[in-house]
Structures are given as structure tokens and as C-alpha cells.
Amino acid sequence: MAREVKVMLGVVVVALAFAGWGGFTWWQASRDDSLAYATAREEVLAAGRTQVATLTTLDYHDVDGGIERWLSVSTGGLRDELAATDAETRGQLKANATVATGRVLDAAVSELDTRSGSAKLLVSVEISTAKDGSPPSAKRNRFVAGMSQVDGEWKLSALDQVPLGAQ
């Protein structure tokens, strides 16, 4: 009987040691900076994918609404440039009678600085354009997207096309 008690006591000690080790490693992992960095990386990637698709989409039936959507996902100089779209340009966009729809094919975070709240993404986009009454045609483009964190939210601060053949 004494032997069984010793075995049970040994099992309890091993279980407590394992529980203590598991709790310590969980606590340690929850304070690991790499976890916060990985979370920020996923946030900027998700925001960038959505926002690049928004910025490469415009329907001539609602040019003003499209530009408002562009403004809602942009910041800094890019937003200022988009906000400066004058009535003449808006009229040309309407007269062009084109619907452009951007679809992000792939994206990757190439730079992320969580301290300064800045990031860069490499983005591959397929832009399908259809003129009123014509079948759509698709073109693939590559962009470097600059992202800035504004009030805890990631927004596009730059969108530059990468020329074909560029490394």
C-alpha cells in the first residue's frame, strides 16, 4: 500500500511540475515581442490588400463615391493628391464610361516598423476594365504600397507602380 501512495505522490509531483512549466512558458510567450510583431504584420497585410483593391477600383456611374472611398483608405500625400481631384478630371472619368475593378492576387509585407507606424507592401493586382458596352479586359500590375498607422488604423500613404522588368 505504501508503494502505491509513493507512486501516486510521484505522479502528482510530475503533473504539478508539468503544469508549472506549461504556465511559465505560456506567460513567457504572451510577453514575447515577436507575437505583437506578427500580429501587426497580419494587420498591415490585411488592410493593405483591402485598400489597394479599393484604390484600383472605380465605376464611372459613381465617380464621387469612388473618390470618397479612396479618401477613406488613404493618408498623407496620397490622400492630399486624391482629394485634389478637380471637377474637370471627375467629368473626364465619367465621360470615359469605364468600370475598373481591382483584385489583389498576392501581397507581402516587405518592411514593417511598428515603432514609427510605417510599412511597405509588394502587391500584385489584376485590374479588369470594361468600357460601357464592351467586354472586360484584364491587366496585371505590380505595386509598392506605403502604409502608415493613423489613430491605430493602417492606411495607404503611397501607391507606386513597379515597371515590368524591374527587380
Side-chain angles (χ1 to χ4, degrees):
M1 187 86 151
R3 181 172 161 80
E4 292 173 352
V5 171
K6 287 182 182 179
V7 170
M8 294 274 287
L9 187 57
V11 169
V12 169
V13 168
V14 169
L16 286 173
F18 180 75
W21 175 76
F24 174 74
T25 56
W26 175 83
W27 174 81
Q28 197 174 27
S30 70
R31 283 155 179 68
D32 189 358
D33 287 341
S34 62
L35 181 62
Y37 188 80
T39 300
R41 189 176 192 83
E42 290 302 315
E43 288 173 1
V44 75
L45 183 60
R49 289 178 73 95
T50 301
Q51 294 171 4
V52 168
T54 298
L55 212 60
T56 55
T57 298
L58 185 66
D59 185 338
Y60 79 96
H61 294 101
D62 186 19
V63 170
D64 293 333
I67 292 173
E68 284 304 314
R69 285 186 287 282
W70 292 353
L71 295 174
S72 73
V73 300
S74 60
T75 188
L78 176 61
R79 187 179 194 290
D80 294 343
E81 186 178 328
L82 296 170
T85 305
D86 60 11
E88 181 181 343
T89 302
R90 290 172 190 246
Q92 289 172 350
L93 290 169
K94 289 175 187 174
N96 201 16
T98 302
V99 176
T101 306
R103 180 173 66 97
V104 174
L105 302 174
D106 202 5
V109 178
S110 62
E111 296 176 28
L112 175 59
D113 184 345
T114 55
R115 287 187 176 99
S116 70
S118 64
K120 283 193 179 170
L121 279 72
L122 304 173
V123 188
S124 175
V125 181
E126 181 179 80
I127 301 174
S128 175
T129 55
K131 274 200 165 282
D132 205 18
S134 300
S137 64
K139 181 179 177 189
R140 293 189 177 189
N141 297 283
R142 292 181 299 164
F143 295 97
V144 173
M147 303 286 289
S148 295
Q149 199 169 29
V150 179
D151 298 327
E153 183 181 354
W154 289 98
K155 293 193 172 200
L156 282 170
S157 55
L159 188 64
D160 299 308
Q161 190 166 358
V162 177
L164 290 177
Q167 297 294 323

